[in-house]
Amino acid sequence: MRSPDGLREPGGARPPEVEIVVPVRNEERDLAPSIRRLHAYLNDRFPFTARITIADNGSTDGTWVEALTLEHELSLVRAVHLDQPGRGRALRAIWSASDADVLAYMDVDLSTDLNALLPLVAPLLSGHSDVAIGTRLAPGARVIRGPRREIISRCYNLILHATLQVGFSDAQCGFKAIRADKARALLPLTQDTAWFFDTELLVLAERAGLRIHEIPVDWIDDTDSRVDVISTALADLRGIARLDYGLLRGSLTVPVLGDAGGPPPGDGGRPRPGLRLQLLSFVAVGLVSTIAYILLYLALRGTMGALEANAVSLLATAVANTALNRRFTFGVRGRQHAARHQARGLLAFAAALLLTSAALLALSAMSPSPGVGAEVTALVLANLLATGLRFALYRRWVFPPPPADPESAALPPLAAAPLVGTVLPRSGGAGQPGGGAR
């Protein structure tokens, strides 16, 4: 049964094909305009049956009253109230109980252009993909937002690529969808109740081998957003650490639900990450190390001289930097050769020590009392000069590529081998099993 406006009633004989959840908390001002705009789009331009679920999670203003009013006025809309706040908690509760084929969500500010909704859900309804996400970082995306949020978002995604080696480009865009049958298998594995929830679900989906479809979106930053960007970013970093620890230790087991990728291979025969992933990981680790290095230098500067504080800070962060790059940038795990890697890493950092010490001496020669700010600037610039050399040393000397298989190396060149009566295995090129790019 359909309502007079052409949309299926939420309580009709058949469940909707798509359920769109809009999590809200204290959004009484923006809720009605956004929901009416979304409803009008679905009514006029969306070819599938749908339901809009307003998920009020812990509002203390008039949001819940506004949600009930919209539910009464618009046949497609229903309102659900949860006493406890948390976007992840709301999505998990509603998605777990949904009867729709595809589950989606979007932020109430509708920063993402609604024209991307149909391309988002169509591959899931057709069975082509299992998960779909909007991305602001892929070619074709058009994004308008401030520099602070741009930098934080890009750094977060770099860290995510470096630590968990994910393949998707944008984890934080509030515009995602998943097939309901896949969600039912993965939702019990999620733990986060706040903003990290969808990143966690994406990582689990990729580890389960699900196909993730990315949609470049037009996205305009909500300048009135009340999200605490710094505290949210820190909570996300804690979530990354928890998730990586669980996957590494084996306390988090992800079922195999598809064959599109899956978890990185184990230590035995683990392939060396490609240059692009190495660079991304190296930059992310370097950013974290530099922040720690400067903070430690500032803490020590009051009790010791500039050269001494620099040496201690550099030594302390060098050990951590080498360990992180060993694990994430070059994919080396286990304790074998760990001491040798650390020793070589310290030698690689000797270049940074020489450059930073020279920078401090030069600064002191130009000004007897340069000030801590000038010292920090000189140290950061000197470290940047040493970065390229350090990466080259890491790649070729500290963590060299594994030697070629001696048996494979002993084989004659293919052109010189007799081919009469020999059937060569077909390589996985484009159009063949195992070939092509995902």
Side-chain angles (χ1 to χ4, degrees), residues 69-355:
T69 301
L70 291 167
E71 181 184 45
H72 178 73
E73 293 181 3
L74 304 174
S75 60
L76 184 66
V77 175
R78 69 164 179 160
V80 176
H81 179 76
L82 292 87
D83 292 331
Q84 294 180 296
R87 180 179 70 169
R89 177 181 286 109
L91 289 174
R92 182 164 48 240
I94 295 171
W95 281 1
S96 297
S98 178
D99 56 355
D101 299 321
V102 169
L103 312 172
Y105 95 90
M106 60 181 65
D107 294 333
V108 69
D109 57 19
L110 301 187
S111 294
T112 303
D113 192 318
L114 290 177
N115 288 323
L117 180 58
L118 180 56
L120 185 81
V121 302
L124 308 188
L125 289 166
S126 69
H128 174 273
S129 301
D130 305 298
V131 181
I133 65 172
T135 174
R136 299 158 295 184
L137 303 178
R142 290 183 289 183
V143 178
I144 300 175
R145 62 176 164 181
R148 185 180 72 148
R149 296 192 71 166
E150 178 76 14
I151 291 171
I152 291 176
S153 176
R154 288 187 177 273
C155 288
Y156 173 73
N157 281 288
L158 280 174
I159 292 172
L160 194 64
H161 280 78
T163 53
L164 292 168
Q165 300 181 19
V166 298
F168 48 86
S169 62
D170 189 357
Q172 293 181 308
C173 184
F175 196 72
K176 297 183 175 72
I178 184 172
R179 289 182 57 85
D181 55 338
K182 308 302 182 184
R184 282 190 286 270
L186 293 178
L187 287 174
L189 302 178
T190 61
Q191 297 183 30
D192 194 82
T193 60
W195 297 94
F196 185 69
F197 166 81
D198 44 345
T199 297
E200 183 176 22
L201 187 63
L202 273 178
V203 172
L204 295 175
E206 190 172 68
R207 292 299 180 103
L210 299 184
R211 174 175 286 186
I212 299 176
H213 186 66
E214 298 198 357
I215 306 295
V217 297
D218 297 344
W219 196 88
I220 300 176
D221 190 13
D222 178 14
T223 56
D224 190 39
S225 174
R226 278 155 286 180
V227 177
D228 189 332
V229 177
I230 301 300
S231 64
T232 300
L234 293 175
D236 287 344
L237 293 177
R238 291 193 294 270
I240 290 174
R242 171 182 58 78
L243 194 55
D244 188 53
Y245 182 83
L247 292 170
L248 184 63
R249 292 289 182 179
S251 58
L252 177 58
T253 303
V254 184
V256 177
L257 303 176
D259 56 3
D267 294 336
R270 179 183 178 87
R272 182 184 175 95
L275 178 59
R276 178 176 175 272
L277 284 178
Q278 287 179 358
L279 285 171
L280 288 172
S281 177
F282 185 78
V283 169
V285 171
L287 180 63
V288 174
S289 297
T290 300
I291 294 173
Y293 161 65
I294 294 302
L295 292 176
L296 186 56
Y297 176 83
L298 293 173
L300 296 174
R301 187 62 180 88
T303 58
M304 59 181 65
L307 292 175
E308 293 81 4
N310 176 56
V312 173
S313 304
L314 204 59
L315 177 63
T317 53
V319 174
N321 185 284
T322 300
L324 289 172
N325 276 302
R326 180 180 190 267
R327 163 67 176 82
F328 299 118
T329 304
F330 298 95
V332 181
R333 302 183 184 182
R335 298 181 179 179
Q336 187 176 13
H337 305 311
R340 183 176 68 185
H341 292 154
Q342 280 291 349
R344 289 183 176 182
L346 291 176
L347 292 176
F349 262 84
L353 179 60
L354 291 174
L355 284 173

Side-chain angles (χ1 to χ4, degrees), residues 9-10 31 35-36 39 51-54 63-81:
E9 293 278 356
L31 180 60
I35 295 300
R36 293 184 190 280
H39 185 276
R51 173 195 297 144
I52 303 171
T53 298
I54 302 171
T63 297
W64 177 238
V65 174
E66 194 70 38
L68 290 175
T69 301
L70 291 167
E71 181 184 45
H72 178 73
E73 293 181 3
L74 304 174
S75 60
L76 184 66
V77 175
R78 69 164 179 160
V80 176
H81 179 76

